[in-house]
Amino acid sequence: MSVHEKMNFETKQAIKNAFIQQVEEVGFERVTVKNLALVAEINRGTSLFTLFR
């Protein structure tokens, strides 16, 4: 696995974990990209759609 692939994998995992945490804490309807980015400790500009194609 290349460094780039490892970084992508780790970012995806951080977003998935943040999503699960947010759903448990505030409910699915209240999950926002802003809060996902904060919890996952990623830049909000990181394209969630690109990561999950």
Side-chain angles (χ1 to χ4, degrees):
M1 182 180 290
S2 72
V3 173
H4 183 70
E5 290 170 329
K6 185 177 184 216
M7 287 173 46
N8 280 344
F9 176 80
E10 290 172 353
T11 300
K12 286 180 184 182
Q13 287 302 111
I15 293 168
K16 287 177 186 178
N17 292 337
F19 177 75
I20 292 167
Q21 179 182 344
Q22 286 293 289
V23 169
E24 290 173 349
E25 289 180 6
V26 299
F28 179 79
E29 296 81 15
R30 297 183 58 113
V31 174
T32 64
V33 172
K34 179 181 177 181
N35 286 341
L36 284 178
L38 288 171
V39 172
E41 298 180 349
I42 60 170
N43 187 318
R44 193 173 67 157
T46 300
S47 173
L48 299 176
F49 300 108
T50 300
L51 289 171
F52 290 102
R53 276 194 239 171

